[in-house]
Amino acid sequence: MSSWFLTAILVVFGGHGLTAQSNPFTVAGSVKDTKGNALVGAHVALFRLSETTPAFNTSSAADGRYEFKNIPKATYYLKSFMLGFRPLKADSVVISTTSSPDGVYDVVMTEATLGIQAVDVVSRKQTIEMQNGKLIFNVQNSALSAGSSALDLLRRVPGVSLGQDDQIMLKGSSGLNVMVDGKMTYLSQQQLVQLLKGMNAENINKIEVITTPTAEFDAAGNAGIINFVMKKNTQDGYSLDIRSGVSKGKFWMVNENITGSYRKGRINLFGSIDFNTPHSNFVSTSGNSFFENGQPIIIRRENQNPLKIKFYTYKAGIDWQLSTKHRLSVGYNGYFDDFVKDNAPSLVKRYDATGQLLGSVRSTNYLAEPYHYDATNLSYTYKIDSLGKQLTADAHYISYRNYSDGVLKSSFQDATGTQSAPDERLQSHQPGTISIQSVKMDLVLPYPAVTLKAGVKFAYVTNDNRYSFDSLRDGRFIEASSMSNHFKYNEKISAVYGSGVKKLGKTSLEAGLRLESTVAEGYTVKQAVANSWNYTKLFPSLSIDHELDKNNKLNFSVSRRIDRPTYASLNPVRWYSDQYFFYSGNPYLKPEMAWLFSAGYTLKEKYVLTVSYSRHTNYISKRLVVEPGTNAIVSQIANFDKMERLDVLTSIPISLSPLWELQLTTGTSYTSYPIPLLNGEKTFSKWAASAMLNQQLKLPGGLNFELSLSYYSSELWGIYLKEGIFLAGAGIRKSFYKNKLDVRVSFNDFLGTNRYAGKSLTDYTDYQYYDKPDTRRVGVSVKYHFGGKLQSNQSRRIEEQDRL
């Protein structure tokens, strides 16, 4: 990075802070243990005399060094803090600028093993917490995680609901972004579901729900952000985790994982390999009616969807502390999803208005869709000074490739079971590629009066998808030209943001403004149809935290958001379930805009009440239409006029005894939006409720038992009115050999009550469905830990991947 560019940034954002100090001085030194080894990440603080709040903070670097520059003249005392250690000398170092304007002050710390053990015994996180406007769901020690996936955990997160095809919605909207360790996953709903099915729940520490993100986050995601925080820690040496698990539902499933890291001096290496077989099967019945030749026809379907999945996940990276101020990180994250729909059988029966059988269609649907995902990241961090000023730069390249091949075979019988028409065979080939290139830069400038943040970003996305359908005619395949096409899409997003954080007594304010400009074009080659989007929008945000006293805290936040259509939603390709039902993209989608408001109250750090309201325009959700000529149901994503949503959530921990703890979470929501009808539209509104009770019991022999019960009432779900569901899960956990061996057994949906059922609210069609997934499973997991604490991946990721 050129020196003139850095100088310009410092002049624009930090000039007044540098000139405000006269005759500054420097304090530096090192933090080591009693053996002379450097301690990395120790917190070092300078306090003014008679004050208990640090005036300046920093952390020790890879070589144990710390430094404070440009410190105003005063008398300070220096303290150091680090988990597992305490200062060798109890007295703090007193520094007076009058007698020693500059100096070196080394700190020696000794291990505090007993102190750590005491904290481990008495400290326990609540299952549900509220921090800085974020709702946090702690799952790191859950016995239910054995044989479970990240998607299974989402079913237990307040405000999250799953519907047909495992579509994820947060507070009534599918416009959400999902992050892993603060980095965007950038996958479409379909691919996100597959990724979460392949992500083992035992790797997850907690789940954060951010309903009103600030300006430093990408503006995408009208429902907010869900962040999966993975298990991690930071200490020198090596570490290795080996885990093996098996579970049983309709199919036997296995999960094998190796995760390790090595840290020495300035270098940190990390990586993991995971193999998972999240096979699934669900049985679906559905039906609808239509008119054919002026006569009503009633359709009844019976479908089975056996899905065989081999999911390989792999990542590796290196963090290199070039010097005290400079750090370079290189990361790679990839997965291969070997997805096969294994000749899913379907039976479609046709009846007349009196219920008399007219005929039937038997089909088998084979679909092989191997997905390849590769993401590389280069990150550079420059610590400008010891006061916390920091500049980061990131570059990303993501490649996503899907090679989809399928065969739909259909045979036709009349009411007597006699063949009534020649068999049909439809063959599909749908290769698609998406590439994302992104660069961004962020600057943080903390001053005593205010902390300033600013950043810029540019992203370029291309999508190329050829899709062809061939029908078998006279022994050979002939292209069905009306169903085959070539779709291209490119998009450029430029963004700049600025924000400030200020503390006023017991009140903390953060205000920000983000500007995003989008230029995009979708082109359907065969019809030479081009759709273009060119818009520039402002996205303000405001967050206020106020501490009434140590037991009562309030939070209020508001932000404007955007939900751009996913690339798959814009692609007009078809995915057939049977002859009378298929999914299709919609190239005419518009971005959805929303205002999100949230208020929260926390009592004694454990009782939580949140109220949120959102108003959306061009609301994006599912719709159903009937294809002229074939009378097939077309399911696709479409824009609705507007949507309003109110949510009230409470979380109450209950301690019945030292051995028995409960967490009760309740939710109430009100949703309203118009649904298109044959003649105009009608606004549908509905109240809904949910309740979750999680119980943890300590049993004799070191066993930990967990029972989770969840209920979700009927609610609006796009074009559908979705029925309510009840879920129950249980698990047992025990550790051996000083917590190095961890054994978990889980029983998910052990009552077999989970299902997805609903009916259409539009008069376009009377379609209704009832899907029964095989979530009733038992799982066993065994994990053994070698060495020290595991390191985490430091690589950062971007927003565009979420719409693959």
Side-chain angles (χ1 to χ4, degrees):
M1 179 179 298
S2 62
S3 60
W4 69 265
F5 181 68
L6 179 58
T7 302
I9 291 177
L10 293 176
V11 169
V12 172
F13 293 103
H16 84 273
L18 296 177
T19 59
Q21 302 172 359
S22 59
N23 300 320
F25 74 107
T26 299
V27 173
S30 63
V31 184
K32 298 181 179 180
D33 63 16
T34 54
K35 297 179 181 179
N37 299 316
L39 295 180
V40 183
H43 180 72
V44 185
L46 284 179
F47 296 77
R48 290 184 175 90
L49 289 184
S50 74
E51 292 187 4
T52 58
T53 302
F56 303 97
N57 293 278
T58 189
S59 297
S60 58
D63 57 359
R65 297 278 300 169
Y66 74 90
E67 186 177 49
F68 296 99
K69 284 187 176 181
N70 302 317
I71 304 301
K73 284 188 174 182
T75 300
Y76 302 90
Y77 63 95
L78 182 144
K79 279 193 172 184
S80 58
F81 313 87
M82 187 168 185
L83 182 65
F85 290 84
R86 57 179 174 83
L88 186 62
K89 295 182 178 180
D91 298 332
S92 303
V93 179
V94 179
I95 303 167
S96 174
T97 62
T98 56
S99 60
S100 176
D102 293 306
V104 175
Y105 303 89
D106 294 330
V107 178
V108 178
M109 306 189 78
T110 184
E111 292 190 33
T113 307
L114 292 177
I116 295 177
Q117 290 175 345
V119 170
D120 287 342
V121 171
V122 301
S123 176
R124 184 188 183 109
K125 284 184 175 292
Q126 299 292 335
T127 304
I128 304 291
E129 294 181 300
M130 186 81 171
Q131 294 180 6
N132 301 322
K134 295 186 295 187
L135 191 68
I136 299 174
F137 186 51
N138 293 303
V139 297
Q140 65 268 37
N141 295 318
S142 175
L144 291 168
S145 60
S148 299
S149 67
L151 187 67
D152 295 321
L153 288 183
L154 273 186
R155 302 178 199 274
R156 299 164 53 202
V157 174
V160 176
S161 54
L162 275 67
Q164 191 183 32
D165 307 315
D166 285 325
Q167 184 188 20
I168 305 168
M169 294 185 79
L170 173 61
K171 296 187 176 181
S173 175
S174 61
L176 61 95
N177 276 336
V178 171
M179 301 192 301
V180 176
D181 282 336
K183 297 92 183 176
M184 293 293 180
T185 54
Y186 304 106
L187 299 172
S188 67
Q189 278 274 352
Q190 180 186 5
Q191 284 310 301
L192 176 61
V193 167
Q194 294 306 118
L195 175 66
L196 296 180
K197 285 182 178 179
M199 184 187 299
N200 193 283
E202 292 186 67
N203 295 332
I204 299 170
N205 180 35
K206 60 183 177 181
I207 302 173
E208 299 176 336
V209 180
I210 309 170
T211 53
T212 52
T214 56
E216 61 188 284
F217 292 97
D218 292 303
N222 280 348
I225 295 172
I226 295 177
N227 181 30
F228 288 88
V229 180
M230 312 306 287
K231 293 180 179 178
K232 57 191 175 187
N233 211 320
T234 55
Q235 285 195 5
D236 279 352
Y238 83 94
S239 65
L240 184 69
D241 267 9
I242 299 177
R243 187 184 68 243
S244 180
V246 61
S247 57
K248 177 68 168 66
K250 170 73 174 179
F251 307 107
W252 283 98
M253 293 159 282
V254 298
N255 176 242
E256 313 293 336
N257 176 276
I258 299 177
T259 301
S261 69
Y262 176 77
R263 179 171 184 167
K264 188 68 176 177
R266 298 174 181 266
I267 300 294
N268 171 32
L269 302 172
F270 46 85
S272 68
I273 301 175
D274 191 280
F275 172 68
N276 199 3
T277 59
H279 305 322
S280 65
N281 180 68
F282 69 89
V283 179
S284 173
T285 58
S286 61
N288 63 282
S289 62
F290 56 83
F291 282 88
E292 185 176 84
N293 300 321
Q295 300 297 320
I297 303 296
I298 300 172
I299 296 291
R300 294 288 180 265
R301 298 179 185 82
E302 297 176 7
N303 296 69
Q304 289 192 42
N305 285 272
L307 305 180
K308 298 292 186 69
I309 302 170
K310 296 179 181 178
F311 203 95
Y312 305 83
T313 307
Y314 26 82
K315 59 183 176 182
I318 179 172
D319 289 333
W320 184 13
Q321 193 74 38
L322 303 173
S323 66
T324 304
K325 293 187 175 182
H326 303 274
R327 187 181 73 195
L328 187 67
S329 299
V330 180
Y332 166 77
N333 182 31
Y335 74 78
F336 170 56
D337 179 7
D338 191 3
F339 174 93
V340 176
K341 180 182 286 189
D342 193 12
N343 286 315
S346 170
L347 174 60
V348 180
K349 295 182 178 181
R350 293 162 48 98
Y351 299 87
D352 63 17
T354 66
Q356 184 70 32
L357 179 65
L358 300 176
S360 61
V361 182
R362 293 185 180 273
S363 305
T364 56
N365 191 353
Y366 174 83
L367 184 64
E369 289 189 321
Y371 296 99
H372 301 261
Y373 175 90
D374 299 283
T376 55
N377 162 241
L378 176 65
S379 176
Y380 166 74
T381 301
Y382 171 43
K383 292 186 176 180
I384 299 170
D385 60 22
S386 61
L387 303 179
K389 296 185 179 71
Q390 181 171 288
L391 179 71
T392 58
D394 294 272
H396 299 80
Y397 178 76
I398 298 106
S399 173
Y400 172 82
R401 303 167 312 282
N402 172 26
Y403 306 98
S404 175
D405 291 283
V407 178
L408 178 65
K409 302 177 182 178
S410 302
S411 60
F412 306 87
Q413 292 86 33
D414 59 21
T416 65
T418 305
Q419 183 171 353
S420 59
D423 291 348
E424 290 185 356
R425 186 170 177 176
L426 184 66
Q427 182 173 279
S428 63
H429 180 57
Q430 305 175 46
T433 59
I434 297 175
S435 69
I436 301 172
Q437 302 169 58
S438 173
V439 292
K440 62 179 296 190
M441 185 177 295
D442 298 277
L443 181 66
V444 179
L445 300 170
Y447 295 111
V450 64
T451 296
L452 301 178
K453 300 178 183 180
V456 295
K457 175 185 172 181
F458 177 77
Y460 178 64
V461 181
T462 61
N463 179 11
D464 192 313
N465 181 222
R466 296 176 181 269
Y467 50 98
S468 62
F469 289 86
D470 304 317
S471 348
L472 187 63
R473 293 286 186 271
D474 300 326
R476 63 191 184 97
F477 283 101
I478 300 175
E479 183 182 64
S481 59
S482 63
M483 301 168 59
S484 305
N485 218 317
H486 185 188
F487 178 72
K488 295 182 176 181
Y489 179 84
N490 62 77
E491 175 184 86
K492 297 178 182 178
I493 299 177
S494 305
V496 60
Y497 79 89
S499 67
V501 181
K502 186 173 181 60
K503 181 93 171 168
L504 298 171
K506 294 185 177 182
T507 303
S508 177
L509 298 92
E510 180 172 0
L513 184 64
R514 187 178 186 92
L515 175 69
E516 289 195 357
S517 176
T518 304
V519 179
E521 181 183 47
Y523 184 64
T524 307
V525 174
K526 186 173 289 188
Q527 287 79 22
V529 175
N531 298 303
S532 60
W533 302 264
N534 189 339
Y535 50 90
T536 301
K537 302 286 185 182
L538 284 170
F539 300 93
S541 63
L542 173 66
S543 179
I544 303 173
D545 290 278
H546 180 69
E547 183 178 322
L548 298 173
D549 54 47
K550 65 178 182 180
N551 290 326
N552 297 272
K553 296 179 181 179
L554 298 173
N555 168 268
F556 172 79
S557 55
V558 57
S559 66
R560 192 187 190 206
R561 310 288 292 167
I562 186 173
D563 186 18
R564 299 181 183 91
T566 66
Y567 315 124
S569 298
L570 291 165
N571 188 349
V573 70
R574 298 180 174 189
W575 291 271
Y576 275 88
S577 176
D578 56 62
Q579 183 185 13
Y580 291 101
F581 192 99
F582 65 87
Y583 299 89
S584 174
N586 181 0
Y588 301 101
L589 282 172
K590 300 176 182 178
E592 174 188 330
M593 304 295 298
W595 281 98
L596 309 180
F597 302 85
S598 178
Y601 168 68
T602 304
L603 174 63
K604 296 182 179 180
E605 299 289 345
K606 57 182 181 179
Y607 301 99
V608 175
L609 168 67
T610 66
V611 180
S612 59
Y613 170 78
S614 60
R615 184 177 179 87
H616 308 245
T617 56
N618 290 326
Y619 173 53
I620 296 177
S621 191
K622 281 188 176 182
R623 76 170 182 188
L624 298 174
V625 295
V626 178
E627 185 182 44
T630 65
N631 290 314
I633 297 291
V634 185
S635 176
Q636 63 180 186
I637 303 297
N639 289 111
F640 294 64
D641 183 23
K642 59 185 177 181
M643 190 268 273
E644 293 183 88
R645 172 87 175 197
L646 174 68
D647 282 89
V648 180
L649 184 143
T650 63
S651 177
I652 303 172
I654 305 170
S655 181
L656 298 179
S657 76
L659 303 178
W660 188 5
E661 294 187 356
L662 294 82
Q663 184 88 33
L664 174 64
T665 305
T666 64
T668 304
S669 66
Y670 176 80
T671 308
S672 176
Y673 53 86
I675 292 178
L677 304 176
L678 290 174
N679 296 305
E681 61 183 23
K682 178 182 177 181
T683 297
F684 285 81
S685 303
K686 185 167 179 58
W687 286 94
S690 65
M692 285 163 275
L693 180 63
N694 193 74
Q695 304 183 60
Q696 294 182 338
L697 291 89
K698 294 182 179 179
L699 303 177
L703 292 172
N704 291 277
F705 176 76
E706 185 173 350
L707 176 65
S708 176
L709 306 174
S710 303
Y711 169 74
Y712 304 86
S713 72
S714 174
E715 63 179 321
L716 291 177
W717 191 279
I719 206 74
Y720 301 114
L721 177 63
K722 185 167 76 77
E723 293 184 8
I725 59 172
F726 173 78
L727 297 172
I732 298 176
R733 175 176 179 245
K734 182 173 173 58
S735 297
F736 302 88
Y737 305 118
K738 296 181 180 180
N739 295 325
K740 286 188 173 292
L741 177 64
D742 186 83
V743 179
R744 307 185 187 196
V745 180
S746 67
F747 308 89
N748 288 295
D749 188 23
F750 60 82
L751 297 178
T753 55
N754 188 29
R755 84 274 191 207
Y756 304 137
K759 60 181 179 180
S760 171
L761 294 173
T762 182
D763 56 3
Y764 285 144
T765 175
D766 56 356
Y767 178 80
Q768 52 189 323
Y769 65 91
Y770 182 96
D771 296 347
K772 189 69 178 68
D774 66 327
T775 50
R776 187 179 188 180
R777 298 176 178 179
V778 58
V780 179
S781 172
V782 178
K783 181 180 73 173
Y784 194 85
H785 176 73
F786 299 87
K789 300 291 186 180
L790 284 175
Q791 288 288 106
S792 66
N793 189 330
Q794 299 292 326
S795 64
R796 295 147 63 103
R797 296 167 74 177
I798 53 167
E799 177 267 336
E800 285 66 31
Q801 291 166 278
D802 197 41
R803 294 158 50 225
L804 285 177

